[in-house]
């Protein structure tokens, strides 16, 4: 993958393997307590990137889109667990609060990631990191994270 700017975390990936690699690298850097907010259209690669991130955390179970479950918790290795949330089907922040997500945000042994984070703006914890993915073509993606 090419890193286009030296100052920012901006990558262009040309296939899903490269997006997985960006995620895996990010996962390896996690120490626990990180919350990632994912933005990008359907098919942008949010779940792909998080599959890589989970691998980087040492999750061995298959990470799938939790769309139908909203929240899935995986056992990890470098931290205790990886909490994968998909807010696509939620109508309000309250729905997510009701699931007790605050507990995961606050847990220093858990890494949390939220797809469709724009739907649950009110619950974004302070210090959450943003990952924006944009489709540039069939296979090229722009990934920006902070
Ligand atoms: P989202 O979770 O954002 O809806 P997914 O990760 O589920 O998206 O799906 C991304 C789709 O795009 C997959 O079918 C994947 O194979 C495809 N794809 C093609 N090129 C890339 C790329 N560079 N990075 C990530 N996914 C890609
Ligand atoms: Mg997804």
């Amino acid at each position: 993958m090419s890193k286009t700017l030296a100052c920012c975390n901006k990558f262009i990936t040309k296939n899903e393997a490269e997006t997985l690699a960006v995620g895996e690298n990010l996962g390896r850097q996690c120490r626990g307590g990180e919350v990632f907010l994912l933005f990008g259209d359907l098919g942008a690669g949010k779940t792909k990137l998080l599959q890589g991130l989970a691998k980087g955390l040492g999750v061995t179970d298959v990470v799938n889109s939790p769309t139908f479950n909203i929240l899935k918790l995986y056992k990890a290795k470098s931290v205790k667990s990886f909490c994968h949330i998909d807010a696509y089907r939620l109508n309000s922040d309250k729905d997510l609060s009701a699931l007790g997500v605050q507990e995961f945000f606050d847990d220093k042994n858990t890494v949390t990631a939220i797809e469709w984070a724009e739907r649950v703006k009110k619950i974004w914890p302070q210090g959450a990191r943003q990952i924006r993915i944009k489709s540039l073509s069939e296979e090229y993606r722009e990934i920006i994270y902070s």
Side-chain angles (χ1 to χ4, degrees), residues 3-10:
K3 195 172 184 200
T4 53
L5 286 175
C7 63
C8 317
N9 293 309
K10 175 170 167 173

Side-chain angles (χ1 to χ4, degrees), residues 25 88 107:
N25 199 30
Y88 187 66
D107 185 354

Side-chain angles (χ1 to χ4, degrees), residues 47 65 86 115:
T47 301
S65 180
D86 192 321
E115 295 192 39

Side-chain angles (χ1 to χ4, degrees), residues 27-61:
R28 278 203 230 100
Q29 292 168 30
C30 290
R31 294 290 167 264
E34 290 87 355
V35 177
F36 294 97
L37 306 173
L38 280 284
F39 305 88
D41 293 340
L42 199 67
K46 302 179 293 299
T47 301
K48 277 288 164 241
L49 187 131
L50 293 180
Q51 285 169 344
L53 188 133
K55 192 173 173 207
L57 293 173
V59 172
T60 50
D61 284 344

